[in-house]
């Protein structure tokens, strides 16, 4: 075999591993012999070798040659985000302790509208004005940081807020006032960006520290309701102290005061409440023309009904059956006096007994919630009133049906007429308001004021209805409007709730006689007359509730409250 030639029959091992040899990989020497391209370079390379002259940037050592599809391309500069604060627990302390130490609020692109709040106004008006604004329109707080004193944990503040709202809602306070109180408690501990929400049985509050932080929410269910305006006033006093910038109340102190309020015993014992219900029924019978014997009969019937209702409550029966049982004794006594041919006005006895049972407090609260935009809560309250009223109807109708069957001659017009005793009726109206205040467990310091307010309401109603011969609905609405106006003024003077000054004062205006006449007409098979009387009772009830709310709104309209531009949420929407 000649020199410089290769044997095709015996391929070399390098050629066996590579099927293709690039031309640049083999060079020819001066003698025509083949040699390596370099001392350290093989004469043959792999078919995956990179051609000579193609420069590829070398990958740094330690970094993988392939990256994820979510990796940023080379050359795309992204500003580095500064290291954020470590994620904190929901139970960590907020940065502020009081409302005046809140962090700077978020400024919307269009700027923050100038809204000035009157600091001399009660906290209810200031909080209500801010609640009726959107979050971006609320005025920023004047901050004055205190870095040496940490604040309480956010969930504990929300829990205190919910507990205070629970006591207010269970006591019969309106949904808007409950939200205002909850908002005031949150702001007093520096939680400015909070949103309370109140329905008939559920309270919730949400707090978001900033637009980039996760919100913290909590809720509480109201399962039991009671009537204790002394406790209601104490809760309002606690919220007023928390809202005062000059008063420093720690969270532990607020919890301690709240526990004392919950453990506080009612100011009046059970026997006093029973006597008060009897006196209330007797006073109501005098308002519709009854005399001393009718007064005593109505008082005895109402006290028996009250004791039976307490017995049913101790057995765990629902309130519907309690109202049904409580309505039977007054009606039974009236029917019994008619069957015994006693010369008394039995209808006045039954009417007086109904006055002690009519749910005026729930009715006023329900209509007020509807007028202020809380339609779900208003519907639930009015549905509760309807159930109570149905229970009263069932109890009275059962007794009246048996009385008519036994031959009792019940005259629907027997309780009308004798209205020529304005002095006695005014005294009876004031006694009715006083006893109603006792039944509501009001503070002794407010009983006298609400008694005078009830006397003024009856005087206005009597002057318009009997002296002026005006419509009973218009007369009732005007008298209830004065009750709401005076009650709002008294509550502003004492920085308290308006319920203790208004609820008992509307007692003389409740439609007891119209309710009885409607039930009597149905029992005597006079369905049309009965429905007309019941419709009148409903109209009078709505007039009372709307009048009370209108009086309160008039007081806020002409007094310097809330913001200088008025309540921004109260705009005309034309129904859409």
């Amino acid at each position: 075999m000649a020199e410089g030639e290769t044997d095709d029959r015996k391929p070399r091992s390098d050629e066996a591993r590579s099927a293709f040899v690039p031309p640049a990989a083999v060079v020819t020497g001066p003698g025509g012999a083949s040699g390596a391209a370099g001392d350290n370079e093989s004469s043959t390379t792999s078919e995956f070798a990179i051609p000579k002259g193609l420069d590829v940037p070398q990958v740094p050592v330690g970094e993988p040659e392939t990256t994820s599809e979510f990796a940023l391309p080379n050359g795309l500069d992204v500003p580095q985000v500064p290291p954020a604060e470590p994620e904190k627990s929901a139970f960590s302390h907020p940065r502020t302790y009081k409302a005046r130490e809140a962090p700077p609020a978020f400024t919307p692109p269009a700027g923050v509208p100038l809204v000035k709040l009157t600091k001399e106004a009660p906290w209810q008006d200031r909080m209500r004005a801010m609640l009726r604004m959107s979050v971006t329109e609320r005025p920023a707080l004047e901050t004055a940081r205190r870095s040496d004193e940490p604040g309480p944990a956010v969930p504990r503040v929300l829990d205190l807020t919910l507990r205070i709202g629970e006591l207010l809602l269970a006591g019969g306070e309106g949904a808007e006032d409950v939200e205002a109180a909850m908002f005031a408690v949150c702001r007093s501990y520096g939680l400015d960006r909070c949103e309370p929400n109140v329905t008939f049985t559920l309270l919730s509050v949400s707090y978001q520290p900033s637009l980039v932080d996760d919100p913290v929410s909590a809720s509480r269910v109201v399962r039991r309701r009671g009537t204790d305006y002394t406790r209601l006033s104490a809760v309002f006093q606690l919220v007023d102290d928390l809202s005062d910038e000059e008063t420093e109340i720690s969270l532990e102190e607020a919890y301690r005061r709240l526990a004392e309020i919950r453990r506080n015993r009612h100011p009046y014992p059970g026997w006093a409440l029973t006597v008060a219900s009897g006196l209330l029924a007797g006073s109501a019978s005098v308002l519709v023309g009854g005399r001393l014997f009718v007064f005593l009969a109505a008082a005895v019937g109402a006290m028996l009904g009250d004791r039976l209702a307490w017995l049913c409550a101790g057995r765990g029966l629902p309130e519907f059956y309690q109202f049904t049982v409580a309505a039977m004794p007054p009606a039974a006594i009236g029917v019994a006096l008619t069957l015994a041919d006693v010369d008394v006005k039995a209808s006045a006895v039954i009417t007086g007994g109904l006055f002690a049972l009519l749910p005026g407090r729930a009715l006023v609260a329900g209509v007020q919630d509807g007028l202020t935009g809380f339609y779900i809560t208003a519907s639930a309250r009015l549905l509760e009133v309807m159930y109570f009223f149905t229970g009263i109807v069932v109890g009275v109708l059962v007794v009246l049906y048996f009385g008519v069957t036994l031959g009792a001659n019940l005259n629907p017009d027997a309780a009308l007429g004798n209205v020529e005793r304005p002095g006695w009726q005014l005294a009876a109206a004031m006694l009715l308001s006083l006893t109603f205040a006792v039944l509501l467990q009001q503070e002794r310091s407010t009983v006298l004021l609400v008694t005078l307010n009830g006397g003024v309401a009856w005087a206005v109603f009597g002057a318009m209805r009997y002296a002026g011969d005006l419509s009973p609905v218009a007369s009732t609405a005007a008298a209830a409007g004065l009750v709401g106006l005076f009650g709002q003024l008294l509550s502003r003077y004492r920085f308290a709730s308006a319920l203790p000054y208004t609820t008992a004062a509307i007692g003389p205006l409740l439609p007891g006689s119209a309710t009885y006449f409607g039930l009597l007409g149905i029992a005597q098979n006079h369905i049309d007359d009965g429905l007309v009387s019941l419709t009148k009772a409903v109209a009078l009830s709505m007039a009372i509730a709307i009048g009370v709310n209108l009086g309160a709104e008039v007081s806020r309209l002409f007094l310097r409250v809330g913001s200088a531009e008025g309540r921004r949420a109260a705009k005309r929407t034309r129904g859409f």
Side-chain angles (χ1 to χ4, degrees):
M1 184 177 297
E3 185 180 359
E5 297 180 359
T6 59
D7 188 2
D8 296 337
R9 295 173 299 176
K10 296 181 179 179
R12 291 182 301 176
S13 59
D14 292 341
E15 294 176 350
R17 289 193 302 265
S18 177
F20 171 72
V21 180
V26 180
V27 295
T28 305
S34 61
D39 296 335
N40 298 327
E41 183 177 358
S42 175
S43 59
T44 59
T45 58
S46 170
E47 60 180 345
F48 297 101
I50 300 174
K52 197 172 184 178
L54 180 61
D55 296 333
V56 178
Q58 299 296 325
V59 180
V61 179
E63 183 176 353
E65 298 181 359
T66 59
T67 58
S68 171
E69 59 181 345
F70 298 101
L72 295 176
N74 293 332
L76 178 60
D77 297 332
V78 179
Q80 298 295 327
V81 180
E85 297 181 0
E87 184 177 358
K88 299 181 180 179
S89 170
F91 295 91
S92 60
H93 298 302
R95 291 177 294 174
T96 57
Y97 183 71
K98 287 293 182 181
R100 58 178 178 271
E101 304 164 13
F106 167 74
T107 303
V112 178
L114 180 61
V115 180
K116 297 181 180 179
L117 296 177
T118 306
K119 295 184 178 181
E120 292 78 11
W123 63 265
Q124 300 99 308
D125 296 326
R126 291 186 281 111
M127 297 301 107
R128 187 183 294 109
M130 282 189 287
L131 278 176
R132 294 185 177 184
M133 304 176 189
S134 62
V135 177
T136 58
E137 293 181 351
R138 291 174 186 170
L141 298 175
E142 299 177 2
T143 61
R145 293 180 180 273
R146 286 187 308 179
S147 58
D148 57 339
E149 184 177 354
V154 171
R156 296 195 65 196
V157 176
L158 300 185
D159 178 71
L160 176 67
T161 302
L162 291 173
R163 291 179 182 273
I164 290 177
E166 178 188 10
L167 288 179
L168 294 177
L169 186 62
E173 192 63 67
E176 186 179 31
D177 293 329
V178 175
E179 282 196 358
M182 295 172 63
F183 190 64
V185 175
C186 289
R187 284 177 60 89
S188 64
Y189 288 104
L191 308 185
D192 184 35
R193 299 179 63 87
C194 62
E195 288 295 334
N197 186 25
V198 176
T199 58
F200 185 60
T201 57
L202 179 65
L203 300 99
S204 62
V205 59
S206 177
Y207 168 67
Q208 189 174 12
S210 65
L211 295 177
V212 297
D213 293 331
D214 295 332
V216 181
S217 301
S219 61
R220 194 173 182 87
V221 178
V222 179
R223 303 189 184 277
R224 295 188 60 184
R225 301 179 183 273
T227 304
D228 190 346
Y229 281 4
T230 300
R231 179 181 299 174
L232 190 70
S233 301
V235 175
F236 261 78
Q237 183 62 44
L238 174 60
V239 178
D240 182 56
D241 293 341
L242 291 175
S243 303
D244 190 1
E245 296 182 357
E246 299 179 358
T247 304
E248 299 292 342
I249 299 179
S250 63
L251 192 65
E252 289 72 17
E253 177 66 16
Y255 266 111
R256 185 190 64 80
R257 290 181 57 177
L258 188 62
E260 291 180 354
I261 293 173
R262 297 180 69 95
R263 291 195 302 263
N264 186 26
R265 300 184 62 182
H266 299 306
Y268 307 102
W271 64 267
L273 300 179
T274 302
V275 173
S277 63
L279 294 177
L280 189 152
S283 303
S285 65
V286 174
L287 291 179
V288 293
R291 294 185 180 271
L292 180 60
F293 188 80
V294 174
F295 178 92
L296 296 176
V300 171
M303 287 189 289
L304 289 176
D306 182 76
R307 287 294 89 190
L308 288 176
W310 277 104
L311 180 62
C312 294
R315 298 289 181 177
L317 290 178
E319 287 184 299
F320 176 85
Y321 301 105
Q322 297 177 26
F323 274 81
T324 301
V325 172
M328 289 183 175
I333 291 179
V335 172
L337 291 176
T338 303
L339 292 174
D341 201 14
V342 180
D343 189 14
V344 295
K345 294 181 178 180
S347 55
V349 176
I350 301 175
T351 299
L354 293 179
F355 263 85
L357 300 175
L358 294 177
R361 173 180 60 89
L363 175 66
V364 172
V367 175
Q368 179 182 357
D369 289 341
L371 294 176
T372 52
F374 295 84
Y375 301 113
I376 297 178
T377 307
S379 301
R381 288 187 189 272
L382 294 179
L383 185 61
E384 180 188 39
V385 171
M386 187 192 73
Y387 272 101
F388 292 163
F389 191 78
T390 304
I392 298 172
V393 168
V394 171
V396 175
L397 275 181
V398 169
V399 176
L400 291 181
Y401 177 78
F402 282 104
V404 172
T405 304
L406 294 175
N409 186 16
L410 299 173
N411 186 8
D413 298 328
L416 300 177
N418 193 359
V419 294
E420 299 178 357
R421 297 180 299 165
W424 284 102
Q425 290 180 334
L426 180 60
M430 296 179 67
L431 179 61
L432 191 151
S433 298
L434 188 147
T435 54
F436 202 173
V438 173
L439 288 176
L440 293 174
Q441 299 283 2
Q442 292 189 197
E443 292 180 305
R444 292 181 174 88
S445 59
T446 63
V447 172
L448 179 60
L449 295 175
V450 74
T451 301
L452 296 176
N453 199 6
V456 171
W458 179 259
V460 172
F461 172 79
M464 297 181 63
R465 176 70 182 95
Y466 303 121
D469 196 18
L470 296 178
S471 169
V473 177
S475 303
T476 302
L482 285 180
V483 168
L485 177 61
F486 292 159
Q488 185 66 27
L489 293 177
L490 290 173
S491 66
R492 286 174 56 82
Y493 175 72
R494 296 199 170 191
F495 293 91
S497 172
L499 286 182
Y501 304 101
T502 57
T503 305
I506 64 173
L509 305 176
L510 293 176
S513 58
T515 303
Y516 164 69
F517 293 151
L519 299 180
L520 180 60
I522 295 176
Q524 293 179 341
N525 204 21
H526 300 156
I527 307 299
D528 294 339
D529 296 338
L531 292 179
V532 169
S533 296
L534 289 180
T535 304
K536 179 181 178 182
V538 173
L540 291 174
S541 301
M542 296 296 293
I544 293 173
I546 294 175
V548 170
N549 181 263
L550 182 60
E553 294 295 332
V554 167
S555 66
R556 300 191 188 106
L557 182 63
F558 291 100
L559 295 176
R560 187 183 180 188
V561 298
S563 62
E565 300 180 9
R567 289 178 296 181
R568 300 173 62 87
K571 296 180 180 179
R572 185 179 182 184
T573 60
R574 297 184 183 272
F576 52 82

